[in-house]
Amino acid sequence: MVEGSQIFSAHVIASFFLLILCDIVCGTDNDISCLKSVKSELQDPYNYLHSWDFDNRTEGYICKFTGVECWHPDENRVLNLKLSNMGLKGEFPRGIKNCSSMTGLDFSFNSLSQAIPADISTLLTFVTSLDLSSNDFTGEIPASLANCSYLNNLRLDQNQLTGQIPANLSQLPRLKLFSVTNNLLTGPVPPFKKGLVPAENYANNSGLCGFPLPVCQAKSAKSNTAVIAAAAVGGVTAAALGLGIGMFFYVRRISYRKKEEDPEGNKWARSLKGTKTTKVSMFEKAISKMNLSDLMKATNNFSKNNIIGSGRSGTVYKAVLPDGTSLMVKRLQESQHSEKDFMSEMAILGNVKHRNLVPLLGFCLAKRERLLVYKNMPNGTLHDQLHPDAGVCTMDWPLRLKIAIGAAKGLAWLHHSCNPRIIHRNISSKCILLDIDFEPKISDFGLARLMNPIDTHLSTFVNGEFGDLGYVAPEYTKTLVATLKGDVYSFGTVLLELVTGERPTHVAEAPETFKGNLVEWISQQSSNAKLHDVIDESLVGNGVDQELFQFLKVACNCVTEMPKERPTMFEVYQLLRAIGMSYNFTTEDEIMLPVDIGDDDNIVELIVARDGHD
């Protein structure tokens, strides 16, 4: 056993040095070439890859591409490629071999076709997670997958794969999940370790046999005679059978054409057929009872036309019930947490109620999908209000100040009143939603814990909302530890957005605008005593300049480099509330002074006097 342990350790060390060697030899040009080839080899009918602009050439620029996660934001080295549910078409892109440091690949819920490359192990040397489910792949499962010795997860569900499952896949030393449901596979299944692959992971493959499925039947002379007899009888009905096959392919072709004519259809939603009666667990008694079929009707089967937002935690769809009630349904990004853990988290989040938090109304579990139901926010996100696609922002100063105070209040409540305290981990102007009265509501709180570990700790600072690096506290890139003060930094960036009208990161299109990171740009202007120039010009000269400078000072204090020098969210709320005192945005004594407002890790108690909404 000791000798085996030593061999394993040596193998891990050797693998580590292989990765380093690959980095030295391959550099980052190969990764750029990899993504170029992926984009050129695949059809992108919905233009999801429009952000893949290779003319940028700045450090880490590919790390801001949709679906790309890097090892480090300043290095063009791909860690994970997540291109799920984008309607991509074509064959498996062979140019992906140039992403030589990549460990995760997700092409699920697309329309990729033809055979999976027989030499796929040479294309994905260090892959630990491979998801090719819900595509149109044909042919056999490549035996070379057994050479991907780092594989933990392998999903090939819902394709048109034929033949036998390679027996040598059972030799993969790290495999924890293997699933091939809904294919055309036959023959004995690999002799995996008992309990590793349950029977349901082979479902809807009528020709499979062997543990944990029924025992494979050996052929005999008698059975061969029966086959001959059956063949003779079959000859008599050949014409009828041929007609039936012809009708089958005709109907299938018509169905395929309909699917092509309905680009809004979602393959992952269609995969939920048979689970439509699944109940939606509701926290609000006022909301009528629902099941999954109600959500599918309300979202037009989760049509792409119903998408109203997308981020690291998942995609949000607008849902309209028959009585006209408008809701939001978030499809969570896949999580490795068990159903029990998910239900436990839902029980906690369902009871987190505050005027400035988006209320979680319910949730639904269906197969691999986890759906959350929220109250709809008619005025969308703060990000879209501040940075409209067409025209300029029309938000006046009182409205921006009101939103800042309300959002600060909600985040302070999460930090200092909840037990245990909730670290948001992904604060941005995209997760601050606005109701019909433009009252701010913080969304996505508590969801970071439901993401995969690598999503929670790594992709947050690498990609944020697929590119919003300006929100991430500088210490996070070194420690990978989320803290309350990290949330304060992110919120400070939102405050800078509100007062400057600028995005957190920006590529300058004109000489008078900044290029790069908003916080760094503000710091440079501060050192040159040019802060007056950074304030949104539409706000200046309206008799509120003193409030603007006070607001800007609070924002700058939130984004200081040293975490201990930043205020707590309670202090931020109190400072903003003082600036907006004359506007009567808040009621008196909503939040009382905590016992200790020093280091946020040493707060003993916070007494909250709740009004009728909190």
Side-chain angles (χ1 to χ4, degrees):
M1 184 177 293
V2 173
E3 182 180 353
S5 176
Q6 291 174 341
I7 293 174
F8 176 76
S9 298
H11 182 64
V12 172
I13 294 172
S15 300
F16 175 74
F17 281 108
L18 275 173
L19 278 170
I20 295 177
L21 180 61
C22 178
D23 180 35
I24 295 172
V25 174
C26 301
T28 59
D29 288 340
N30 282 358
D31 291 77
I32 296 171
S33 173
C34 165
L35 298 186
K36 282 183 177 180
S37 64
V38 168
K39 186 175 182 179
S40 64
E41 292 179 49
L42 296 179
Q43 299 175 46
D44 180 23
Y46 305 115
N47 204 26
Y48 276 104
L49 306 183
H50 71 279
S51 67
W52 290 26
D53 179 9
F54 296 97
D55 295 329
N56 189 316
R57 307 300 292 180
T58 57
E59 289 185 356
Y61 75 97
I62 67 171
C63 305
K64 299 172 182 152
F65 288 176
T66 298
V68 178
E69 296 178 354
C70 295
W71 285 88
H72 189 278
D74 295 331
E75 296 179 5
N76 289 323
R77 279 203 305 144
V78 178
L79 172 66
N80 292 311
L81 195 56
K82 296 185 175 181
L83 305 179
S84 175
N85 196 32
M86 293 184 174
L88 302 175
K89 300 179 180 179
E91 299 182 26
F92 188 96
R94 296 191 59 83
I96 209 162
K97 67 180 179 181
N98 289 321
C99 288
S100 53
S101 302
M102 185 173 65
T103 64
L105 177 62
D106 185 355
F107 276 142
S108 62
F109 296 103
N110 284 295
S111 298
L112 303 188
S113 57
Q114 303 299 320
I116 301 172
D119 59 344
I120 190 170
S121 63
T122 65
L123 307 181
L124 303 170
T125 310
F126 297 107
V127 68
T128 63
S129 178
L130 177 60
D131 192 343
L132 303 180
S133 62
S134 299
N135 279 283
D136 297 315
F137 286 114
T138 57
E140 298 186 349
I141 298 175
S144 70
L145 279 169
N147 297 326
C148 296
S149 57
Y150 299 100
L151 261 179
N152 285 279
N153 300 322
L154 177 58
R155 288 188 178 275
L156 301 173
D157 315 75
Q158 297 202 174
N159 283 285
Q160 301 176 45
L161 300 173
T162 56
Q164 295 189 10
I165 303 174
N168 58 355
L169 292 184
S170 64
Q171 300 172 11
L172 286 168
R174 295 178 174 81
L175 195 65
K176 296 178 182 178
L177 187 151
F178 175 73
S179 185
V180 289
T181 62
N182 296 289
N183 279 287
L184 305 171
L185 299 168
T186 58
V189 301
F192 289 112
K193 183 179 178 181
K194 185 176 181 180
L196 179 64
V197 183
E200 54 263 31
N201 287 19
Y202 297 116
N204 298 324
N205 287 280
S206 58
L208 291 179
C209 60
F211 182 83
L213 302 175
V215 177
C216 297
Q217 299 295 323
K219 292 183 180 180
S220 63
K222 184 180 290 186
S223 65
N224 288 337
T225 302
V227 169
I228 294 172
V233 175
V236 178
T237 59
L241 182 61
L243 179 62
I245 293 174
M247 288 297 295
F248 169 78
F249 281 105
Y250 174 76
V251 172
R252 182 174 180 176
R253 185 173 183 180
I254 294 297
S255 175
Y256 180 78
R257 284 182 177 176
K258 286 184 178 180
K259 193 181 295 184
E260 288 293 303
E261 293 168 0
D262 179 24
E264 290 78 27
N266 257 311
K267 183 175 280 190
W268 71 266
R270 292 194 294 271
S271 72
L272 297 179
K273 182 179 180 181
T275 64
K276 292 184 178 181
T277 57
T278 303
K279 291 183 178 180
V280 178
S281 300
M282 304 301 291
F283 297 112
E284 298 284 343
K285 294 182 180 180
I287 303 296
S288 59
K289 294 182 179 180
M290 290 191 294
N291 55 32
L292 180 58
S293 64
D294 295 320
L295 292 185
M296 296 185 76
K297 291 177 183 177
T299 58
N300 192 20
N301 288 327
F302 293 95
S303 164
K304 289 182 172 65
N305 287 339
N306 282 53
I307 293 177
I308 56 176
S310 183
R312 186 178 62 87
S313 60
T315 304
V316 181
Y317 298 83
K318 183 177 181 180
V320 181
L321 301 180
D323 64 0
T325 302
S326 185
L327 303 172
M328 298 185 299
V329 181
K330 176 181 279 275
R331 180 202 179 203
L332 281 184
Q333 189 183 69
E334 185 179 352
S335 169
Q336 293 180 355
H337 284 69
S338 67
E339 182 174 321
K340 181 179 179 181
D341 290 340
F342 177 78
M343 297 281 284
S344 177
E345 287 296 324
M346 289 298 98
I348 294 173
L349 296 181
N351 290 315
V352 177
K353 306 289 185 184
H354 188 273
R355 179 180 181 178
N356 296 110
L357 301 179
V358 177
L360 176 63
L361 303 180
F363 65 93
C364 179
L365 285 169
K367 292 187 177 180
R368 292 167 55 189
E369 300 300 332
R370 286 160 163 77
L371 305 173
L372 307 184
V373 182
Y374 294 97
K375 183 178 179 181
N376 186 45
M377 297 292 119
N379 283 309
T381 70
L382 174 59
H383 178 275
D384 291 342
Q385 293 288 342
L386 281 174
H387 316 295
D389 291 333
V392 296
C393 174
T394 58
M395 300 174 69
D396 61 15
W397 171 241
L399 179 56
R400 299 192 199 196
L401 182 55
K402 169 188 173 180
I403 292 171
I405 294 172
K409 177 185 168 190
L411 190 54
W413 195 85
L414 290 174
H415 279 196
H416 305 302
S417 181
C418 290
N419 186 18
R421 290 176 288 179
I422 295 178
I423 302 175
H424 191 289
R425 308 184 190 208
N426 198 29
I427 284 290
S428 72
S429 58
K430 293 179 181 178
C431 73
I432 298 176
L433 307 187
L434 305 171
D435 69 8
I436 193 169
D437 298 316
F438 282 88
E439 184 70 27
K441 314 276 186 178
I442 294 177
S443 66
D444 287 359
F445 56 89
L447 295 189
R449 289 189 293 186
L450 293 174
M451 299 297 100
N452 293 337
I454 195 166
D455 291 328
T456 301
H457 297 300
L458 186 58
S459 66
T460 303
F461 81 83
V462 172
N463 275 8
E465 295 286 340
F466 289 123
D468 292 339
L469 293 172
Y471 294 108
V472 183
E475 68 272 9
Y476 190 75
T477 61
K478 302 173 184 177
T479 65
L480 300 187
V481 176
T483 64
L484 300 177
K485 289 297 182 70
D487 273 1
V488 172
Y489 182 97
S490 300
F491 188 74
T493 306
V494 173
L495 297 182
L496 290 177
E497 276 187 271
L498 280 164
V499 73
T500 66
E502 298 284 358
R503 298 173 184 266
T505 53
H506 185 61
V507 178
E509 299 175 353
E512 63 272 11
T513 59
F514 83 95
K515 177 180 180 180
N517 182 283
L518 177 58
V519 173
E520 293 176 0
W521 179 61
I522 293 292
S523 299
Q524 294 169 2
Q525 299 302 103
S526 177
S527 62
N528 295 326
K530 295 181 179 179
L531 278 179
H532 187 276
D533 297 333
V534 307
I535 297 175
D536 190 334
E537 61 180 15
S538 68
L539 305 179
V540 178
N542 297 320
V544 293
D545 287 10
Q546 186 61 32
E547 293 177 11
L548 292 170
F549 279 109
Q550 290 175 347
F551 187 94
L552 184 58
K553 183 178 180 181
V554 174
C556 290
N557 287 337
C558 291
V559 296
T560 56
E561 186 171 357
M562 297 300 296
K564 287 187 176 296
E565 295 178 2
R566 299 171 200 155
T568 65
M569 274 312 305
F570 176 82
E571 293 171 320
V572 175
Y573 168 66
Q574 292 287 48
L575 291 168
L576 294 177
R577 185 184 178 197
I579 296 173
M581 192 67 71
S582 61
Y583 295 94
N584 297 317
F585 291 140
T586 61
T587 59
E588 292 297 325
D589 299 324
E590 285 182 328
I591 300 179
M592 296 178 65
L593 187 67
V595 173
D596 180 0
I597 60 170
D599 191 321
D600 55 315
D601 293 325
N602 294 319
I603 293 177
V604 178
E605 182 181 9
L606 180 70
I607 303 172
V608 178
R610 302 178 182 179
D611 59 22
H613 301 284
D614 290 1

